[in-house]
Short mmCIF file of all heavy atoms in Angstrom, two decimals:
data_model
loop_
_atom_site.label_atom_id
_atom_site.label_comp_id
_atom_site.label_asym_id
_atom_site.label_seq_id
_atom_site.Cartn_x
_atom_site.Cartn_y
_atom_site.Cartn_z
N MET N 1 6.22 -35.93 21.42
CA MET N 1 5.65 -35.04 22.42
C MET N 1 4.60 -35.60 23.33
O MET N 1 3.93 -34.97 24.03
CB MET N 1 5.10 -33.78 21.70
CG MET N 1 6.06 -32.96 20.94
SD MET N 1 7.36 -32.22 21.97
CE MET N 1 6.54 -30.97 22.74
N VAL N 2 4.47 -36.94 23.23
CA VAL N 2 3.47 -37.64 24.10
C VAL N 2 3.80 -37.33 25.53
O VAL N 2 2.90 -37.14 26.45
CB VAL N 2 3.29 -39.06 23.74
CG1 VAL N 2 2.41 -39.83 24.68
CG2 VAL N 2 2.90 -39.20 22.26
N GLY N 3 5.10 -37.55 25.95
CA GLY N 3 5.47 -37.35 27.29
C GLY N 3 5.15 -36.02 27.83
O GLY N 3 4.65 -35.83 29.01
N GLY N 4 5.32 -34.97 27.07
CA GLY N 4 5.01 -33.63 27.52
C GLY N 4 3.48 -33.43 27.65
O GLY N 4 3.10 -32.83 28.63
N ASP N 5 2.66 -33.98 26.83
CA ASP N 5 1.28 -33.88 26.96
C ASP N 5 0.83 -34.68 28.14
O ASP N 5 -0.12 -34.17 28.87
CB ASP N 5 0.59 -34.48 25.70
CG ASP N 5 0.74 -33.52 24.51
OD1 ASP N 5 1.00 -32.33 24.65
OD2 ASP N 5 0.75 -34.12 23.34
N VAL N 6 1.40 -35.73 28.46
CA VAL N 6 0.98 -36.49 29.69
C VAL N 6 1.29 -35.75 30.93
O VAL N 6 0.57 -35.70 31.82
CB VAL N 6 1.78 -37.89 29.67
CG1 VAL N 6 1.57 -38.59 31.04
CG2 VAL N 6 1.22 -38.81 28.56
N LEU N 7 2.48 -35.04 30.91
CA LEU N 7 2.87 -34.23 32.07
C LEU N 7 1.84 -33.04 32.19
O LEU N 7 1.52 -32.71 33.39
CB LEU N 7 4.28 -33.71 31.96
CG LEU N 7 5.41 -34.72 32.15
CD1 LEU N 7 6.73 -34.07 31.82
CD2 LEU N 7 5.32 -35.17 33.55
N VAL N 8 1.47 -32.44 31.13
CA VAL N 8 0.47 -31.35 31.22
C VAL N 8 -0.83 -31.85 31.79
O VAL N 8 -1.50 -31.20 32.62
CB VAL N 8 0.29 -30.69 29.86
CG1 VAL N 8 -0.83 -29.76 29.83
CG2 VAL N 8 1.56 -29.92 29.43
N ILE N 9 -1.32 -32.99 31.30
CA ILE N 9 -2.60 -33.46 31.75
C ILE N 9 -2.50 -33.81 33.19
O ILE N 9 -3.42 -33.58 34.01
CB ILE N 9 -2.98 -34.78 30.91
CG1 ILE N 9 -3.37 -34.34 29.53
CG2 ILE N 9 -4.11 -35.50 31.58
CD1 ILE N 9 -3.55 -35.43 28.56
N TRP N 10 -1.43 -34.46 33.64
CA TRP N 10 -1.25 -34.70 35.05
C TRP N 10 -1.27 -33.47 35.87
O TRP N 10 -1.83 -33.34 36.95
CB TRP N 10 0.14 -35.49 35.26
CG TRP N 10 0.34 -35.88 36.73
CD1 TRP N 10 -0.11 -36.91 37.38
CD2 TRP N 10 1.03 -35.07 37.63
NE1 TRP N 10 0.32 -36.86 38.67
CE2 TRP N 10 1.01 -35.79 38.94
CE3 TRP N 10 1.76 -33.89 37.57
CZ2 TRP N 10 1.56 -35.28 40.01
CZ3 TRP N 10 2.30 -33.39 38.75
CH2 TRP N 10 2.24 -34.09 39.96
N ALA N 11 -0.52 -32.47 35.43
CA ALA N 11 -0.42 -31.25 36.19
C ALA N 11 -1.73 -30.53 36.25
O ALA N 11 -2.11 -29.95 37.28
CB ALA N 11 0.67 -30.29 35.51
N GLN N 12 -2.61 -30.57 35.15
CA GLN N 12 -3.81 -29.87 35.22
C GLN N 12 -4.73 -30.72 36.14
O GLN N 12 -5.71 -30.08 36.68
CB GLN N 12 -4.44 -29.89 33.83
CG GLN N 12 -3.78 -28.83 32.95
CD GLN N 12 -4.32 -28.81 31.50
OE1 GLN N 12 -4.89 -29.74 31.01
NE2 GLN N 12 -4.05 -27.72 30.78
N ALA N 13 -4.53 -31.97 36.33
CA ALA N 13 -5.44 -32.70 37.19
C ALA N 13 -4.95 -32.42 38.69
O ALA N 13 -5.92 -32.60 39.56
CB ALA N 13 -5.28 -34.26 36.93
N HIS N 14 -3.82 -32.04 38.83
CA HIS N 14 -3.40 -31.88 40.32
C HIS N 14 -3.18 -30.36 40.66
O HIS N 14 -2.92 -30.12 41.88
CB HIS N 14 -2.06 -32.61 40.56
CG HIS N 14 -2.37 -34.16 40.51
ND1 HIS N 14 -2.28 -34.82 39.32
CD2 HIS N 14 -2.54 -35.02 41.46
CE1 HIS N 14 -2.51 -36.10 39.61
NE2 HIS N 14 -2.68 -36.22 40.87
N CYS N 15 -3.22 -29.50 39.81
CA CYS N 15 -2.95 -28.06 40.07
C CYS N 15 -3.98 -27.21 39.51
O CYS N 15 -4.86 -27.64 38.87
CB CYS N 15 -1.64 -27.61 39.50
SG CYS N 15 -0.28 -28.51 40.09
N ASN N 16 -3.96 -25.85 39.74
CA ASN N 16 -4.80 -24.89 39.08
C ASN N 16 -4.52 -24.88 37.58
O ASN N 16 -3.30 -24.85 37.13
CB ASN N 16 -4.52 -23.57 39.73
CG ASN N 16 -5.43 -22.52 39.29
OD1 ASN N 16 -6.30 -22.72 38.43
ND2 ASN N 16 -5.27 -21.30 39.76
N VAL N 17 -5.53 -24.96 36.76
CA VAL N 17 -5.28 -25.02 35.30
C VAL N 17 -4.68 -23.77 34.82
O VAL N 17 -3.75 -23.80 33.88
CB VAL N 17 -6.71 -25.24 34.57
CG1 VAL N 17 -6.59 -25.12 33.09
CG2 VAL N 17 -7.35 -26.55 35.02
N ALA N 18 -4.91 -22.55 35.32
CA ALA N 18 -4.28 -21.39 34.90
C ALA N 18 -2.81 -21.45 35.11
O ALA N 18 -1.94 -20.94 34.37
CB ALA N 18 -4.95 -20.17 35.63
N THR N 19 -2.40 -22.00 36.30
CA THR N 19 -0.91 -22.14 36.65
C THR N 19 -0.22 -22.98 35.62
O THR N 19 0.94 -22.78 35.37
CB THR N 19 -0.79 -22.69 38.03
OG1 THR N 19 -1.59 -21.92 38.91
CG2 THR N 19 0.69 -22.75 38.43
N VAL N 20 -0.88 -24.03 35.05
CA VAL N 20 -0.26 -24.89 34.07
C VAL N 20 -0.30 -24.28 32.72
O VAL N 20 0.63 -24.38 31.91
CB VAL N 20 -0.98 -26.26 34.11
CG1 VAL N 20 -0.43 -27.14 33.10
CG2 VAL N 20 -0.84 -26.89 35.52
N ALA N 21 -1.46 -23.62 32.35
CA ALA N 21 -1.66 -23.20 31.02
C ALA N 21 -0.82 -21.94 30.70
O ALA N 21 -0.35 -21.79 29.54
CB ALA N 21 -3.09 -22.79 30.79
N ALA N 22 -0.63 -21.09 31.60
CA ALA N 22 0.10 -19.78 31.37
C ALA N 22 1.62 -20.13 30.80
O ALA N 22 1.96 -19.58 29.77
CB ALA N 22 0.18 -18.97 32.50
N PRO N 23 2.35 -20.92 31.52
CA PRO N 23 3.76 -21.23 30.96
C PRO N 23 3.70 -21.94 29.59
O PRO N 23 4.60 -21.80 28.80
CB PRO N 23 4.35 -22.14 32.01
CG PRO N 23 3.63 -21.93 33.26
CD PRO N 23 2.25 -21.50 32.90
N ARG N 24 2.68 -22.77 29.49
CA ARG N 24 2.53 -23.52 28.21
C ARG N 24 2.28 -22.59 27.03
O ARG N 24 2.89 -22.74 25.93
CB ARG N 24 1.53 -24.58 28.29
CG ARG N 24 1.39 -25.50 27.12
CD ARG N 24 0.38 -26.60 27.35
NE ARG N 24 0.45 -27.51 26.25
CZ ARG N 24 -0.48 -28.41 25.91
NH1 ARG N 24 -1.49 -28.43 26.77
NH2 ARG N 24 -0.30 -29.22 24.95
N GLU N 25 1.50 -21.60 27.28
CA GLU N 25 1.19 -20.56 26.20
C GLU N 25 2.30 -19.70 25.98
O GLU N 25 2.48 -19.29 24.82
CB GLU N 25 -0.20 -19.86 26.52
CG GLU N 25 -1.38 -20.82 26.68
CD GLU N 25 -1.61 -21.64 25.49
OE1 GLU N 25 -1.41 -21.12 24.32
OE2 GLU N 25 -2.04 -22.74 25.62
N THR N 26 2.99 -19.32 27.00
CA THR N 26 4.17 -18.34 26.79
C THR N 26 5.25 -19.11 25.94
O THR N 26 5.99 -18.44 25.24
CB THR N 26 4.71 -17.83 28.11
OG1 THR N 26 5.07 -18.97 28.89
CG2 THR N 26 3.85 -16.86 28.62
N GLY N 27 5.30 -20.37 25.97
CA GLY N 27 6.28 -21.14 25.20
C GLY N 27 6.06 -20.92 23.66
O GLY N 27 7.04 -20.86 22.87
N ILE N 28 4.84 -20.73 23.27
CA ILE N 28 4.57 -20.46 21.87
C ILE N 28 5.13 -18.99 21.47
O ILE N 28 5.65 -18.92 20.45
CB ILE N 28 3.02 -20.46 21.66
CG1 ILE N 28 2.44 -21.96 21.82
CG2 ILE N 28 2.64 -20.00 20.24
CD1 ILE N 28 1.03 -22.03 21.94
N LEU N 29 5.03 -18.07 22.44
CA LEU N 29 5.49 -16.71 22.15
C LEU N 29 7.08 -16.81 22.02
O LEU N 29 7.60 -16.08 21.22
CB LEU N 29 5.06 -15.78 23.19
CG LEU N 29 3.64 -15.49 23.31
CD1 LEU N 29 3.34 -14.61 24.49
CD2 LEU N 29 3.10 -14.94 21.98
N VAL N 30 7.66 -17.55 22.96
CA VAL N 30 9.13 -17.68 22.95
C VAL N 30 9.62 -18.28 21.61
O VAL N 30 10.59 -17.86 21.03
CB VAL N 30 9.61 -18.48 24.15
CG1 VAL N 30 11.08 -18.84 24.08
CG2 VAL N 30 9.38 -17.72 25.40
N ALA N 31 8.88 -19.39 21.18
CA ALA N 31 9.21 -20.02 19.86
C ALA N 31 9.11 -18.95 18.74
O ALA N 31 10.00 -19.03 17.75
CB ALA N 31 8.26 -21.14 19.60
N ALA N 32 8.10 -18.09 18.75
CA ALA N 32 7.94 -17.08 17.72
C ALA N 32 9.17 -16.13 17.66
O ALA N 32 9.65 -15.82 16.61
CB ALA N 32 6.69 -16.38 17.85
N VAL N 33 9.54 -15.75 18.86
CA VAL N 33 10.64 -14.80 18.98
C VAL N 33 11.99 -15.46 18.47
O VAL N 33 12.80 -14.92 17.76
CB VAL N 33 10.80 -14.29 20.40
CG1 VAL N 33 12.14 -13.50 20.58
CG2 VAL N 33 9.61 -13.44 20.80
N ILE N 34 12.19 -16.74 18.83
CA ILE N 34 13.40 -17.45 18.45
C ILE N 34 13.37 -17.62 16.93
O ILE N 34 14.46 -17.48 16.25
CB ILE N 34 13.48 -18.86 19.11
CG1 ILE N 34 13.83 -18.64 20.64
CG2 ILE N 34 14.47 -19.75 18.47
CD1 ILE N 34 13.74 -19.92 21.42
N ALA N 35 12.23 -18.00 16.31
CA ALA N 35 12.12 -18.09 14.93
C ALA N 35 12.51 -16.74 14.21
O ALA N 35 13.10 -16.71 13.16
CB ALA N 35 10.71 -18.55 14.50
N THR N 36 12.03 -15.71 14.85
CA THR N 36 12.36 -14.41 14.18
C THR N 36 13.78 -13.98 14.35
O THR N 36 14.43 -13.64 13.30
CB THR N 36 11.50 -13.23 14.83
OG1 THR N 36 10.10 -13.59 14.67
CG2 THR N 36 11.79 -11.95 14.25
N VAL N 37 14.45 -14.21 15.45
CA VAL N 37 15.78 -13.75 15.70
C VAL N 37 16.78 -14.71 14.98
O VAL N 37 17.69 -14.24 14.28
CB VAL N 37 16.06 -13.77 17.23
CG1 VAL N 37 17.52 -13.54 17.47
CG2 VAL N 37 15.23 -12.66 17.88
N PHE N 38 16.57 -16.08 15.13
CA PHE N 38 17.59 -17.00 14.66
C PHE N 38 17.34 -17.45 13.22
O PHE N 38 18.30 -17.72 12.48
CB PHE N 38 17.71 -18.15 15.58
CG PHE N 38 18.29 -17.77 16.86
CD1 PHE N 38 17.51 -17.79 18.04
CD2 PHE N 38 19.67 -17.52 17.07
CE1 PHE N 38 18.01 -17.49 19.34
CE2 PHE N 38 20.17 -17.18 18.22
CZ PHE N 38 19.39 -17.16 19.39
N PHE N 39 16.06 -17.50 12.83
CA PHE N 39 15.80 -17.99 11.52
C PHE N 39 15.27 -16.96 10.55
O PHE N 39 14.89 -17.29 9.38
CB PHE N 39 14.79 -19.23 11.64
CG PHE N 39 15.17 -20.34 12.43
CD1 PHE N 39 14.58 -20.72 13.65
CD2 PHE N 39 16.40 -21.03 12.14
CE1 PHE N 39 15.06 -21.76 14.42
CE2 PHE N 39 16.81 -22.06 12.91
CZ PHE N 39 16.09 -22.37 14.10
N ARG N 40 15.32 -15.75 11.05
CA ARG N 40 14.93 -14.63 10.21
C ARG N 40 13.50 -14.75 9.57
O ARG N 40 13.28 -14.26 8.47
CB ARG N 40 15.89 -14.27 9.15
CG ARG N 40 17.29 -14.10 9.71
CD ARG N 40 18.17 -13.29 8.80
NE ARG N 40 19.61 -13.25 9.18
CZ ARG N 40 20.04 -12.58 10.22
NH1 ARG N 40 19.28 -11.81 10.90
NH2 ARG N 40 21.31 -12.63 10.49
N GLU N 41 12.52 -15.41 10.29
CA GLU N 41 11.20 -15.43 9.81
C GLU N 41 10.56 -14.12 10.10
O GLU N 41 10.79 -13.44 11.11
CB GLU N 41 10.42 -16.52 10.55
CG GLU N 41 10.90 -17.92 10.16
CD GLU N 41 9.99 -19.07 10.65
OE1 GLU N 41 8.84 -18.68 11.15
OE2 GLU N 41 10.32 -20.16 10.68
N PRO N 42 9.65 -13.68 9.24
CA PRO N 42 8.89 -12.41 9.45
C PRO N 42 8.10 -12.42 10.71
O PRO N 42 7.38 -13.39 11.03
CB PRO N 42 8.09 -12.25 8.21
CG PRO N 42 7.93 -13.65 7.69
CD PRO N 42 9.14 -14.44 8.06
N PHE N 43 8.13 -11.30 11.41
CA PHE N 43 7.38 -11.05 12.65
C PHE N 43 6.39 -9.92 12.34
O PHE N 43 6.65 -8.86 12.79
CB PHE N 43 8.20 -10.80 13.85
CG PHE N 43 7.47 -10.94 15.18
CD1 PHE N 43 7.32 -12.17 15.69
CD2 PHE N 43 6.90 -9.90 15.78
CE1 PHE N 43 6.73 -12.37 16.87
CE2 PHE N 43 6.29 -10.08 17.00
CZ PHE N 43 6.16 -11.30 17.55
N GLY N 44 5.41 -10.18 11.46
CA GLY N 44 4.53 -9.07 10.98
C GLY N 44 3.35 -8.87 11.94
O GLY N 44 3.30 -9.33 13.06
N ARG N 45 2.39 -8.16 11.40
CA ARG N 45 1.27 -7.75 12.19
C ARG N 45 0.44 -8.91 12.68
O ARG N 45 -0.06 -8.91 13.75
CB ARG N 45 0.33 -6.80 11.31
CG ARG N 45 -0.81 -6.26 12.13
CD ARG N 45 -1.55 -5.20 11.36
NE ARG N 45 -0.72 -4.03 11.33
CZ ARG N 45 -0.87 -3.09 10.42
NH1 ARG N 45 -1.70 -3.11 9.46
NH2 ARG N 45 -0.10 -2.06 10.46
N PRO N 46 0.19 -9.97 11.91
CA PRO N 46 -0.58 -11.11 12.37
C PRO N 46 0.12 -11.80 13.62
O PRO N 46 -0.64 -12.14 14.56
CB PRO N 46 -0.58 -12.08 11.24
CG PRO N 46 -0.41 -11.29 9.99
CD PRO N 46 0.51 -10.14 10.39
N ARG N 47 1.38 -11.92 13.65
CA ARG N 47 1.97 -12.60 14.72
C ARG N 47 2.01 -11.62 15.96
O ARG N 47 1.89 -12.10 17.11
CB ARG N 47 3.47 -12.97 14.48
CG ARG N 47 3.59 -14.22 13.67
CD ARG N 47 4.96 -14.68 13.69
NE ARG N 47 5.08 -15.87 12.77
CZ ARG N 47 6.07 -16.62 12.55
NH1 ARG N 47 7.21 -16.24 13.22
NH2 ARG N 47 6.10 -17.65 11.81
N LEU N 48 2.14 -10.36 15.72
CA LEU N 48 1.99 -9.33 16.79
C LEU N 48 0.66 -9.38 17.42
O LEU N 48 0.56 -9.33 18.64
CB LEU N 48 2.39 -8.00 16.25
CG LEU N 48 2.61 -6.89 17.30
CD1 LEU N 48 3.74 -7.24 18.20
CD2 LEU N 48 2.89 -5.57 16.62
N VAL N 49 -0.37 -9.40 16.66
CA VAL N 49 -1.77 -9.47 17.15
C VAL N 49 -1.96 -10.80 17.94
O VAL N 49 -2.55 -10.79 19.06
CB VAL N 49 -2.80 -9.34 16.01
CG1 VAL N 49 -4.19 -9.56 16.46
CG2 VAL N 49 -2.65 -7.84 15.40
N ALA N 50 -1.57 -11.84 17.33
CA ALA N 50 -1.64 -13.17 17.98
C ALA N 50 -0.96 -13.21 19.28
O ALA N 50 -1.45 -13.70 20.33
CB ALA N 50 -1.17 -14.27 17.12
N GLY N 51 0.16 -12.57 19.40
CA GLY N 51 0.94 -12.56 20.60
C GLY N 51 0.38 -11.72 21.66
O GLY N 51 0.27 -12.04 22.83
N ALA N 52 -0.29 -10.61 21.19
CA ALA N 52 -0.98 -9.69 22.14
C ALA N 52 -2.22 -10.42 22.71
O ALA N 52 -2.51 -10.24 23.95
CB ALA N 52 -1.39 -8.40 21.42
N VAL N 53 -2.98 -11.15 21.86
CA VAL N 53 -4.11 -11.87 22.32
C VAL N 53 -3.68 -12.92 23.30
O VAL N 53 -4.41 -13.17 24.33
CB VAL N 53 -4.92 -12.44 21.11
CG1 VAL N 53 -6.05 -13.40 21.60
CG2 VAL N 53 -5.52 -11.26 20.30
N THR N 54 -2.61 -13.64 22.96
CA THR N 54 -2.17 -14.66 23.85
C THR N 54 -1.72 -14.16 25.16
O THR N 54 -2.16 -14.52 26.27
CB THR N 54 -1.00 -15.48 23.24
OG1 THR N 54 -1.40 -16.07 22.01
CG2 THR N 54 -0.51 -16.57 24.18
N LEU N 55 -1.02 -13.01 25.21
CA LEU N 55 -0.64 -12.35 26.51
C LEU N 55 -1.84 -11.87 27.24
O LEU N 55 -1.81 -12.02 28.46
CB LEU N 55 0.30 -11.27 26.20
CG LEU N 55 1.75 -11.64 25.95
CD1 LEU N 55 2.55 -10.43 25.55
CD2 LEU N 55 2.42 -12.45 27.04
N ALA N 56 -2.89 -11.37 26.61
CA ALA N 56 -4.06 -10.88 27.24
C ALA N 56 -4.73 -12.12 27.90
O ALA N 56 -5.27 -11.96 29.03
CB ALA N 56 -5.01 -10.19 26.18
N GLY N 57 -4.81 -13.24 27.19
CA GLY N 57 -5.40 -14.38 27.80
C GLY N 57 -4.70 -14.86 29.05
O GLY N 57 -5.34 -15.30 30.08
N ILE N 58 -3.39 -14.88 28.96
CA ILE N 58 -2.59 -15.27 30.06
C ILE N 58 -2.94 -14.36 31.29
O ILE N 58 -3.08 -14.76 32.38
CB ILE N 58 -1.11 -15.24 29.80
CG1 ILE N 58 -0.86 -16.45 28.78
CG2 ILE N 58 -0.23 -15.43 30.97
CD1 ILE N 58 0.56 -16.33 28.18
N VAL N 59 -3.00 -13.05 31.08
CA VAL N 59 -3.25 -12.07 32.10
C VAL N 59 -4.62 -12.32 32.65
O VAL N 59 -4.84 -12.34 33.89
CB VAL N 59 -3.06 -10.63 31.68
CG1 VAL N 59 -3.64 -9.63 32.64
CG2 VAL N 59 -1.62 -10.30 31.27
N LEU N 60 -5.62 -12.55 31.84
CA LEU N 60 -6.92 -12.87 32.29
C LEU N 60 -7.06 -14.13 33.12
O LEU N 60 -7.98 -14.22 34.04
CB LEU N 60 -7.92 -12.92 31.12
CG LEU N 60 -8.19 -11.50 30.44
CD1 LEU N 60 -9.05 -11.73 29.24
CD2 LEU N 60 -8.88 -10.56 31.41
N MET N 61 -6.24 -15.10 32.87
CA MET N 61 -6.30 -16.38 33.63
C MET N 61 -5.83 -16.18 35.06
O MET N 61 -6.23 -16.91 35.93
CB MET N 61 -5.52 -17.39 32.86
CG MET N 61 -6.05 -18.09 31.71
SD MET N 61 -5.31 -19.60 31.10
CE MET N 61 -3.76 -18.97 30.52
N HIS N 62 -4.94 -15.22 35.21
CA HIS N 62 -4.44 -14.99 36.56
C HIS N 62 -5.21 -13.91 37.16
O HIS N 62 -5.41 -13.39 37.96
CB HIS N 62 -2.85 -14.68 36.52
CG HIS N 62 -2.05 -15.86 36.30
ND1 HIS N 62 -1.85 -16.85 37.16
CD2 HIS N 62 -1.39 -16.31 35.12
CE1 HIS N 62 -1.14 -17.83 36.72
NE2 HIS N 62 -0.82 -17.53 35.50
#
């Protein structure tokens, strides 16, 4: 994942940080949904709260 981190650092140096961070953080939420749907991992209250906090942070950045 070094290449991805290098791209993020480059993008943050050349763009608005909120524009770069929002899609990166939503990727975590997408991964949680995929894990729940395809791998039948539990999506309990802790993940729901964490997802809500992450979405609230994304909204506040914009």
Side-chain angles (χ1 to χ4, degrees):
M1 296 298 286
V2 173
D5 290 334
V6 170
L7 286 175
V8 168
I9 291 169
W10 180 87
Q12 288 177 342
H14 291 84
C15 300
N16 184 1
V17 174
T19 306
V20 176
R24 186 173 187 198
E25 297 305 321
T26 52
I28 296 169
L29 297 175
V30 171
V33 170
I34 290 172
T36 301
V37 171
F38 293 108
F39 301 119
R40 305 203 190 283
E41 290 190 14
F43 195 84
R45 185 172 289 157
R47 283 194 184 182
L48 189 59
V49 170
V53 170
T54 302
L55 285 177
I58 291 169
V59 169
L60 289 174
M61 285 192 293
H62 285 287

